[in-house]
Amino acid sequence: MTYVIAQPCIDVKDRACVDECPVDCIYEGPRMLYIQPDECVDCGACEPVCPQEAIFYEDDLPAESFSFVAISVDLFAGLGSPGGAANFGPLTVDHPVVAATETGQA
Amino acid sequence: MSTDLGLPGRRSAVEHVPATDRPQTGKDFTSDQEVRWCPGCGDYAVLKAMQGFLPDLGLRRENIVFVSGIGCSSRFPYYLDTYGMHSIHGRAPSIATGIATTRSDLSVWVVTGDGDALSIGGNHLIHALRRNVNLTILLFNNRIYGLTKGQYSPTSEAGKVTKSTPMGSVDHPFNPVSLALGAEGTFVARTIDSDRKHLTSVLSAAAVKGPDPRFCNRRRKGCRHGR
Ligand code: SF4
Ligand code: SF4
């Protein structure tokens, strides 16, 4: 587990991080972006460019965002390691917890 | 006239290196040191690929040695939980030659960069290659001196402009692969940090294919100072 995107990304999806990531491991869902934890190399390039400040190193996650570690792990448990977001294309569904988050609640 | 020196042949580079009898994971090869390169540096990707690949190699950790020279890439040994040595600028191939020739039970790796290997240590590199020592040399080629803020290196393209080279690099670059082939390296390959699959396949081929010295020129996508 590595860098994690948390709730401030929901319904914003600025995508600045996607351009920074040297290994193309940030995948786009309908409502937010997700970092593939096995593909992320911990380089930290995405974290400072996020205008929402939604990206955290796992150990630095604020308490209210802890759940996003499990959300990322869960989401990719089904998808595996696609090996590159650009080729893989956007995900068709969000993690159920994200999908159920009400707009504005994030 | 020449004489048969009676040197033993070797089937695989790790033939004499003891295999581990317990399963390993990437965590076993991760040291407690905080990894410090610029955000987004390709070195993170190589480190991750190496930590992912070493468990598959299946060797005892205490029989693996990483020797580096000086430069950004040369921080590598700190981050791997194996034996290692952050050595002298350009001289890692020579130190590794000593280790490999006295200890055939070690898997010996050199981690170097374009400045360290091709400029400061240019002669050490070519002679390690031609001597057919049982080593694997990884050259992280970012085509710039990143650590010292961007002077042009022996692989910088002609005309490359950097803050410290405002008129552009005036020299023609080395092609590291041609250089290694010219010195008769027996396994020469090039890969890229952003393609984990290909990078891993090259590491694994380089680690075991032999006989001798194996040279990987890993082209780096982005160094902060060379963009
Ligand atoms: S830390 Fe680096 S590798 Fe991981 S998602 Fe961010 S930019 Fe990509
Ligand atoms: S200077 Fe370049 S090679 Fe060195 S850590 Fe920074 S990005 Fe990586």
Side-chain angles (χ1 to χ4, degrees):
Chain A
M1 200 60 215
T2 42
Y3 278 77
V4 181
I5 303 179
Q7 63 271 40
C9 184
I10 298 177
D11 296 332
V12 177
K13 297 205 296 184
D14 179 89
R15 296 185 189 81
C17 56
V18 175
D19 296 333
E20 285 301 313
C21 180
V23 295
D24 192 22
C25 69
I26 306 180
Y27 293 76
E28 182 176 347
R31 292 189 66 190
M32 72 172 280
L33 298 159
Y34 303 88
I35 293 174
Q36 208 297 357
D38 296 325
E39 292 177 359
C40 171
V41 298
D42 287 353
C43 76
C46 53
E47 186 252 4
V49 300
C50 175
Q52 292 296 105
E53 300 187 6
I55 309 181
F56 299 89
Y57 186 63
E58 186 189 0
D59 296 347
D60 303 331
L61 270 169
E64 72 272 17
S65 301
F66 283 166
S67 58
F68 282 83
V69 174
I71 287 174
S72 305
V73 171
D74 263 16
L75 184 80
F76 289 101
L79 291 169
S81 176
N87 281 337
F88 191 72
L91 314 177
T92 48
V93 284
D94 279 295
H95 187 278
V97 173
V98 173
T101 306
E102 279 171 40
T103 314
Q105 190 185 314
Chain B
M1 199 189 120
S2 68
T3 180
D4 180 358
L5 295 172
L7 298 174
R10 194 184 295 109
R11 272 164 301 166
S12 140
V14 290
E15 198 182 7
H16 302 296
V17 185
T20 181
D21 48 9
R22 59 176 204 93
Q24 297 167 330
T25 67
K27 278 233 154 54
D28 294 316
F29 289 96
T30 307
S31 78
D32 60 358
Q33 298 298 300
E34 187 194 341
V35 183
R36 294 181 62 186
W37 285 303
C38 301
C41 178
D43 290 1
Y44 289 95
V46 188
L47 178 64
K48 265 276 149 77
M50 184 59 95
Q51 285 164 340
F53 149 73
L54 283 173
D56 295 337
L57 192 58
L59 302 175
R60 287 199 200 159
R61 273 188 309 162
E62 61 271 31
N63 288 75
I64 302 175
V65 192
F66 280 82
V67 185
S68 66
I70 298 294
C72 295
S73 58
S74 293
R75 304 184 61 81
F76 213 78
Y78 294 111
Y79 307 138
L80 286 172
D81 205 357
T82 62
Y83 278 100
M85 184 171 177
H86 190 179
S87 79
I88 319 168
H89 212 352
R91 274 65 180 165
S94 309
I95 290 164
T97 295
I99 298 171
T101 49
T102 49
R103 291 285 303 272
S104 60
D105 61 329
L106 301 179
S107 171
V108 184
W109 299 72
V110 170
V111 176
T112 181
D114 41 311
D116 190 55
L118 299 171
S119 182
I120 297 93
N123 263 315
H124 295 273
L125 177 78
I126 57 174
H127 292 287
L129 287 165
R130 99 181 152 83
R131 283 185 181 131
N132 228 12
V133 188
N134 188 19
L135 321 158
T136 306
I137 301 169
L138 304 180
L139 192 161
F140 297 13
N141 183 8
N142 59 348
R143 299 180 288 171
I144 194 99
Y145 285 94
L147 188 70
T148 49
K149 306 280 179 273
Q151 296 80 3
Y152 72 90
S153 87
T155 55
S156 293
E157 56 278 20
K160 183 185 202 109
V161 173
T162 74
K163 271 191 197 148
S164 58
T165 317
M167 313 292 279
S169 166
V170 291
D171 298 329
H172 288 286
F174 265 137
N175 177 333
V177 167
S178 314
L179 189 92
L181 287 171
E184 305 282 343
T186 53
F187 176 94
V188 179
R190 187 161 81 168
T191 182
I192 186 157
D193 51 15
S194 54
D195 185 342
R196 173 94 168 248
K197 240 197 204 142
H198 189 263
L199 174 56
T200 304
S201 73
V202 167
L203 289 177
S204 109
V208 293
K209 286 231 177 85
D212 292 333
R214 295 157 303 277
F215 179 83
C216 305
N217 172 219
R218 191 192 52 76
R219 187 69 159 266
R220 287 250 308 279
K221 243 170 104 182
C223 168
R224 301 250 128 181
H225 298 284
R227 283 183 191 152

